[in-house]
Amino acid sequence: MSTSLAPTALREAEYALLQCDASPLTTGSGADSILDIVRDVAEGQFKGVLMHELAKPLLSISNETSINEEGVLGGDLRLQYTPPGSLDDPRKELLRLAIGVASLHAFVQANWTGPDLD
């Protein structure tokens, strides 16, 4: 995995997420997991992105939270996600953006537009 992301690759990845179109991505053909995640989001593979090993820490609940008998989530829900240390800041931000976009699309697909995520 590369340790830096060129400004043009970052711009291409952001456009791919905004347009839901993976064609602007000219890099990341299997060698870069962050750009592969962006490509999967742009291609509508939301479940795979949300199940990815880099997304799991962001989407997990700490042991300090609980759900009461009424189904209300209680406790401290601070975002304490830190991607692997080998990622530089633009790559961390791009990863969070891609997971956020995948989460939003998955929510809309599962609750309104369909089909099921499975």
Side-chain angles (χ1 to χ4, degrees):
M1 181 186 323
S2 65
T3 59
S4 65
L5 191 62
T8 54
L10 179 62
R11 193 171 321 119
E12 290 170 352
E14 290 171 343
Y15 282 130
L17 290 171
L18 283 171
Q19 299 169 352
C20 293
D21 179 14
S23 62
L25 294 174
T26 57
T27 58
S29 58
D32 190 325
S33 61
I34 304 297
L35 292 178
D36 289 340
I37 288 172
V38 170
R39 182 181 313 279
D40 287 347
V41 172
E43 292 175 350
Q45 302 300 320
F46 312 126
K47 183 177 180 181
V49 169
L50 298 176
M51 300 296 288
H52 193 278
E53 66 182 53
L54 293 175
K56 287 181 181 181
L58 181 62
L59 301 173
S60 63
I61 298 175
S62 72
N63 291 337
E64 299 169 1
T65 59
S66 62
I67 300 175
N68 67 16
E69 60 275 350
E70 296 172 355
V72 177
L73 190 63
D76 194 7
L77 289 176
R78 284 178 274 155
L79 179 63
Q80 297 184 4
Y81 175 70
T82 305
S86 63
L87 300 178
D88 58 13
D89 284 346
R91 290 169 50 82
K92 289 178 186 177
E93 292 171 9
L94 182 59
L95 176 62
R96 288 184 184 117
L97 178 63
I99 293 169
V101 170
S103 298
L104 178 61
H105 280 289
F107 179 82
V108 170
Q109 181 176 330
N111 289 291
W112 286 296
T113 64
D116 290 337
L117 293 174
D118 291 326

